[in-house]
């Protein structure tokens, strides 16, 4: 748009003929319809029923929300926003060509039914159900304190809807997200062709919000062709927070994740999930685990079928000082593998060891090749896992073709007390007349995003950081940083750098949550071959310096370390306990590390300062180190103090 002349120019897509194009320019942004009750007098909006209405052509407000982030983009607005709407329905309606979410049922909404509606071509997702944050939820509606109870959202139903082609502006949105809302039923929906999680139960609290999001049911949904190789750390069904969720009889398949971080699971219980029952679901062809519990307590995965997940049947997240219990029961399930990976990861038992037992693990290959956390089945069982489980060649009809019926002579499932579910799973997804149930066939799926190969990504690995190009006080850009209160990395002029007046000051502080805070890291992708040259300049002050470590990691992270240098607060540089030199205080020392991947398991270290130059040839800490995935400069003491860094460079040739 030329704002001076008012002339609007449009550049056609390839092969697009403008004499056949219909152009619609939305006038409204964000909201099209709004329901506003009289909360002060607790007068709600009731008994409104919408049938066969199309809500379309609303623009997204890119100016307002540019740069904002929250998981699922739940800060975004919706074309239809309702508060205090009760005993109402939307049936047979279409929501399309909308810039943000299509519909939001928020504060005090109750007993609203959304049924046989079509949501598609949306800038964000389809439905936001409930209140976003706990603080708002605990705020009374009027002067009476007990009116806070009326703000709770309950008994919403989303049934038999078709949702697809979402995220055209904001890719990281849920298809349907249930926030602080209880007793929601999300059933018989078909959701496909979306970048992020299809159904999210995302109500984040501090263990005091249990009564505001509980008892939800997610059942008989058909969720497929998800992720579009654009997003990661998502799932067909994802949960963070709500209590006592029942997830059953869903069919989830064909997820495509961005390939280099995490993945895209089938069903994923994240933090604070408690009392969830995940049963009678079918998950196959996923770019991560079929089923995953990151952190939670007292959840059950039972009588599910999983198949052909990139990283195996099930994973449980690690423990730490805050999460010493991550309890789950994984019982009476069937998993089919074609890549031999049944479990990719093992785990610490914790205060209450998980129960994994009476499962049936099928393979379309050889039973002897099946892998359980890099171990054979017998070794896995010795850890107290899958004591009564069975491994066998698949007894299913044609799982590679999506047929998970048992063959007539199948016997394995009875041994683990598995109840067949395929007949019931045929009910998943849309129901009604054929024109409705086959609606998805009328739309072409978007092509998953193209991603660079690791060889392509390696071309971007070389970096050269100049502290003089940023403002004093800013954190250095281009790195992974752990910032803590009064500790971290900042551009400073306290001491001139090696090439100008500025450098990076690293401030450590006693009492941080981790002794290895703060740290600065660079994580290149695809660096598996070639000659590496890394250099930086270090300066320790003569007063109140803190020690540091410079470390290279490979695929195995802390178990797969190449060069590792330790420098004390007095400047003593050691490698594997061997003292190499003492860095002079209040002066710059340049460190240069050079090695060739795939060659000898050694590296060359050169130290250059006012005292001269020293060269060393040193072994990698671990001989398994054969690629570079992480380089870190770590302030690794529980102490107050600082040091300075400058001229960080990484070169690959």
């Amino acid at each position: 748009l030329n704002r001076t002349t008012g002339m609007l120019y449009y550049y056609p897509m390839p092969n697009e003929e403008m004499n056949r194009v219909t152009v619609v320019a939305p006038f409204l942004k964000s909201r099209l319809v709004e329901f506003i009750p009289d909360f002060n007098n607790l007068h709600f909006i009731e008994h409104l029923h919408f049938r066969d209405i199309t809500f379309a052509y609303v623009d997204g407000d890119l100016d307002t929300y540019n740069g904002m982030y929250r998981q699922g983009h739940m800060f975004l607005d919706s074309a239809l926003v309702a508060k205090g709407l009760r005993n109402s329905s939307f049936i047979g309606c279409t929501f399309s060509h909308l810039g943000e979410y299509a519909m939001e049922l928020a504060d005090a909404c109750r007993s609203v039914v959304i049924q046989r509606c079509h949501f598609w071509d949306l800038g964000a997702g389809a439905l936001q159900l409930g209140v976003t944050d706990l603080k708002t939820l605990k705020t009374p509606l009027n002067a009476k304190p007990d009116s806070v109870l009326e703000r709770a959202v309950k008994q919403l139903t989303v049934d038999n809807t078709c949702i697809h082609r979402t995220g055209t502006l904001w890719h990281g949105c849920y298809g349907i997200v249930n926030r602080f809302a209880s007793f929601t039923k999300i059933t018989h929906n078909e959701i496909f062709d979306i970048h992020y999680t299809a159904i999210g139960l995302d109500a984040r609290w501090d263990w005091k919000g249990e009564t505001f999001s509980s008892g939800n049911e997610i059942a008989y949904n058909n969720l497929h062709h998800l992720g579009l190789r654009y997003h990661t750390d998502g799932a067909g069904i994802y949960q963070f927070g709500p209590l006592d969720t029942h997830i059953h009889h869903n069919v989830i398949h064909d997820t495509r994740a961005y390939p280099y971080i995490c993945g895209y699971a089938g069903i994923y219980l994240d933090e604070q999930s408690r009392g969830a029952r995940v049963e009678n679901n079918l998950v196959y062809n996923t770019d991560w685990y079929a089923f995953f519990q990151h952190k939670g307590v007292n959840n059950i995965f039972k009588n599910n079928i999983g198949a052909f997940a990139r990283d195996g049947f099930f994973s449980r997240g690690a423990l730490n000082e805050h999460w010493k219990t991550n309890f789950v029961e994984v019982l009476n399930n069937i998993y089919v593998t074609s890549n031999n990976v049944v479990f990719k990861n093992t785990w610490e038992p914790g205060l209450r060891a998980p129960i994994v037992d009476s499962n049936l693990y099928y393979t379309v290959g050889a039973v002897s090749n099946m892998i359980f956390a890099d171990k054979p089945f017998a070794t896995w069982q010795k850890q107290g896992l899958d004591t009564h489980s069975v491994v066998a060649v698949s007894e299913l009809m044609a799982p590679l073709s999506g047929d998970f019926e048992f063959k007539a002579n199948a016997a394995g499932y009875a041994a683990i007390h598995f109840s067949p579910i395929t007949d019931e799973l045929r009910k998943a997804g849309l129901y009604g007349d054929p024109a409705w149930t086959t609606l998805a066939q009328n739309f072409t799926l978007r092509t998953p995003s193209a991603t660079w190969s690791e060889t392509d990504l390696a071309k971007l690995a070389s970096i050269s950081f100049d502290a003089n190009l940023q403002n004093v006080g800013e954190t250095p850009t281009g790195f992974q940083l752990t910032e803590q209160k009064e500790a971290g990395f900042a551009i400073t002029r306290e001491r001139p750098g090696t090439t100008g007046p500025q450098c990076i000051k690293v401030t450590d502080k006693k009492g941080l949550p981790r002794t290895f805070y703060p740290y600065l890291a660079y994580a290149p992708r695809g660096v598996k071959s070639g000659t590496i040259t890394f250099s930086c300049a270090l300066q320790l002050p003569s007063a109140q310096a803190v020690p540091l470590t410079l470390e290279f990691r490979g695929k195995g992270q802390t178990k797969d370390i190449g060069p590792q240098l330790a420098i004390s607060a007095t400047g003593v540089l050691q490698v594997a306990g061997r003292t190499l030199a003492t860095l002079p205080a209040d002066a710059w020392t340049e460190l240069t590390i050079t090695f060739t991947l795939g060659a000898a398991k050694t590296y060359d270290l050169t130290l250059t300062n006012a005292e001269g130059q020293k060269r060393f040839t040193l072994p990698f800490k671990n001989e398994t180190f054969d690629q570079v995935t992480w380089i870190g400069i770590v302030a690794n003491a529980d102490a107050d103090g600082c040091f300075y860094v400058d001229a960080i460079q990484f070169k690959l040739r």
Side-chain angles (χ1 to χ4, degrees):
L1 173 65
N2 185 324
R3 296 184 182 277
T4 301
T5 65
M7 180 65 72
L8 177 68
Y9 296 90
Y10 175 75
Y11 295 88
M13 297 293 287
N15 302 317
E16 187 174 30
E17 298 180 21
M18 292 307 296
N19 59 352
R20 298 184 180 181
V21 169
T22 298
V23 176
V24 178
F27 177 77
L28 293 176
K29 285 187 176 181
S30 300
R31 295 192 183 186
L32 178 65
V33 180
E34 188 171 10
F35 297 83
I36 306 174
D38 179 3
F39 278 156
N40 190 53
N41 294 301
L42 297 185
H43 290 164
F44 303 106
I45 303 166
E46 299 190 82
H47 307 297
L48 296 180
H49 303 282
F50 298 82
R51 300 286 190 276
D52 303 317
I53 298 175
T54 295
F55 302 86
Y57 301 116
V58 177
D59 202 358
D61 193 345
L62 292 169
D63 295 328
T64 298
Y65 302 115
N66 183 37
M68 294 176 64
Y69 178 74
R70 185 189 175 187
Q71 185 161 307
H73 296 321
M74 290 188 287
F75 54 81
L76 289 173
D77 211 331
S78 300
L80 187 152
V81 177
K83 295 183 178 181
L85 181 64
R86 299 185 172 187
N87 302 304
S88 299
S89 66
F90 297 83
I91 298 177
C93 295
T94 297
F95 295 79
S96 62
H97 319 308
L98 304 172
E100 296 171 33
Y101 275 91
M103 181 187 295
E104 179 176 2
L105 301 177
D107 310 52
C109 287
R110 296 185 183 178
S111 301
V112 178
V113 175
I114 301 165
Q115 193 171 54
R116 200 171 47 77
C117 291
H118 186 194
F119 298 85
W120 72 286
D121 195 26
L122 306 174
L127 294 160
Q128 297 194 90
L129 309 176
V131 180
T132 304
D133 63 280
L134 191 57
K135 182 179 179 181
T136 298
L137 193 59
K138 291 182 175 180
T139 303
L141 292 176
N142 59 21
K144 298 179 180 179
D146 61 353
S147 69
V148 69
L149 299 176
E150 290 292 344
R151 194 184 290 272
V153 179
K154 298 180 181 179
Q155 297 170 329
L156 305 180
T157 299
V158 181
D159 179 69
N160 198 25
T161 70
C162 184
I163 299 170
H164 62 102
R165 194 177 172 83
T166 63
T168 59
L169 296 180
W170 285 275
H171 301 329
C173 297
Y174 296 108
I176 301 172
V177 58
N178 191 84
R179 306 176 300 190
F180 282 102
S182 295
F183 310 112
T184 302
K185 292 183 179 295
I186 301 175
T187 55
H188 288 285
N189 304 289
E190 182 168 4
I191 305 177
F192 62 98
D193 194 17
I194 73 174
H195 297 90
Y196 189 49
T197 294
I199 299 175
L201 298 109
D202 195 339
R204 299 174 182 229
W205 54 44
D206 53 6
W207 299 103
K208 297 178 182 178
E210 292 93 334
T211 59
F212 299 109
S213 189
S214 63
N216 300 304
E217 181 181 9
I218 315 298
Y220 291 97
N221 298 287
N222 182 14
L223 315 174
H224 59 95
H225 296 92
L226 312 170
L228 300 180
R229 210 188 288 116
Y230 186 93
H231 256 282
T232 188
D233 199 21
I237 299 172
Y238 168 88
Q239 172 168 303
F240 189 126
L243 297 180
D244 302 328
T245 307
H246 193 192
I247 301 172
H248 65 94
H249 293 99
N250 299 283
V251 177
I252 305 168
H253 63 93
D254 291 290
T255 73
R256 302 293 296 276
Y258 177 75
Y260 302 117
I261 307 173
C262 301
Y264 196 114
I267 297 176
Y268 178 175
L269 302 186
D270 208 343
E271 297 185 31
Q272 303 178 22
S273 294
R274 289 183 284 163
R277 191 172 185 89
V278 180
E279 58 184 347
N280 302 319
N281 301 283
L282 169 61
V283 174
Y284 62 98
N285 296 348
T286 59
D287 255 357
W288 206 10
Y289 314 108
F291 303 94
F292 181 27
Q293 175 170 307
H294 183 220
K295 293 175 181 176
V297 181
N298 298 335
N299 302 306
I300 297 175
F301 290 77
K302 187 173 184 178
N303 213 83
N304 301 285
I305 298 176
F308 315 130
R310 185 192 71 193
D311 295 334
F313 163 54
F314 186 87
S315 183
R316 193 206 69 172
L319 302 176
N320 56 43
E321 61 266 33
H322 302 295
W323 283 90
K324 298 181 180 179
T325 300
N326 192 352
F327 181 72
V328 63
E329 296 180 50
V330 183
L331 302 166
N332 313 115
N333 301 283
I334 292 175
Y335 181 69
V336 193
T337 175
S338 59
N339 66 356
N340 299 324
V341 177
V342 180
F343 287 86
K344 185 175 183 180
N345 306 314
T346 188
W347 49 72
E348 304 170 50
L351 296 178
R352 188 181 180 193
I355 298 173
V356 181
D357 204 2
S358 298
N359 299 298
L360 175 57
Y361 303 118
Y362 280 140
T363 177
V364 296
V367 171
S368 60
N369 293 331
M370 297 171 76
I371 299 170
F372 295 76
D374 294 324
K375 304 174 184 67
F377 185 53
T379 304
W380 173 259
Q381 287 182 307
K382 288 179 181 178
Q383 299 177 351
L385 300 166
D386 281 314
T387 303
H388 303 95
S389 297
V390 178
V391 296
V393 174
S394 175
E395 297 178 305
L396 301 173
M397 290 295 290
L400 289 169
S401 301
D403 186 347
F404 294 92
E405 291 277 3
F406 291 105
K407 295 178 181 177
N409 60 347
Y413 71 90
I416 64 161
H417 305 291
F418 179 87
S419 299
I421 58 176
T422 49
D423 285 345
E424 194 67 13
L425 288 175
R426 292 190 180 95
K427 301 176 184 177
L430 305 178
Y431 61 87
D433 63 82
W436 173 248
T437 59
T438 61
L439 182 65
Q441 298 175 18
N442 298 331
F443 297 90
T444 302
L445 296 173
R446 286 174 290 184
T447 302
S449 300
T451 57
W452 284 29
S453 69
E454 289 194 329
T455 301
D456 293 330
L457 290 168
K459 297 174 184 177
L460 302 178
S462 296
I463 62 168
S464 180
F465 181 80
D466 185 350
N468 300 291
L469 299 179
Q470 288 192 235
N471 296 321
V472 171
E474 293 180 346
T475 56
T477 58
F479 301 100
Q480 298 174 0
L481 301 171
T482 54
E483 292 293 299
Q484 302 291 314
K485 186 177 181 180
E486 300 179 9
F489 299 79
I491 305 299
T492 184
R493 289 196 172 193
E494 289 181 3
R495 303 194 175 204
T498 59
T499 60
Q502 298 181 175
C503 63
I504 302 170
K505 182 179 181 180
V506 185
T507 304
D508 203 353
K509 189 170 181 63
K510 189 176 180 62
L512 296 180
R514 306 279 198 283
T515 57
F516 54 81
Y517 285 171
Y519 68 78
L520 173 150
Y522 174 56
R525 292 281 175 184
V527 180
K528 297 181 177 180
S529 62
T531 298
I532 308 297
T533 301
F534 174 86
S535 61
C536 69
L538 296 173
Q539 183 178 148
L540 279 73
S542 55
Q544 213 170 11
V546 290
L548 67 130
T549 299
L550 172 60
E551 182 173 288
F552 285 65
R553 297 177 185 174
K555 184 178 181 181
Q557 291 295 302
T558 55
K559 297 178 181 179
D560 191 18
I561 295 174
Q564 184 187 61
L565 313 181
I567 302 172
S568 73
T570 57
V572 177
L573 188 157
Q574 292 186 320
V575 173
R578 172 189 168 193
T579 299
L580 303 181
T582 299
L583 278 57
D586 298 321
W588 289 108
T589 297
E590 182 180 310
L591 293 79
T592 302
I593 293 172
T594 303
F595 57 91
T596 300
L597 290 167
K601 299 298 183 180
T602 61
Y603 62 98
D604 294 326
L605 170 65
T606 302
L607 305 176
T608 306
N609 54 39
E611 298 176 356
Q613 191 173 81
K614 295 181 181 180
R615 293 187 175 88
F616 307 90
T617 298
L618 303 162
F620 294 153
K621 182 176 180 180
N622 301 114
E623 290 189 354
T624 55
F625 178 79
D626 63 358
Q627 59 184 280
V628 179
T629 64
W630 189 91
I631 306 166
I633 298 174
V634 184
N636 56 351
D638 185 20
D640 295 325
C642 70
F643 60 88
Y644 300 88
V645 183
D646 196 25
I648 300 173
Q649 291 189 332
F650 178 89
K651 296 180 181 179
L652 174 66
R653 57 180 176 83

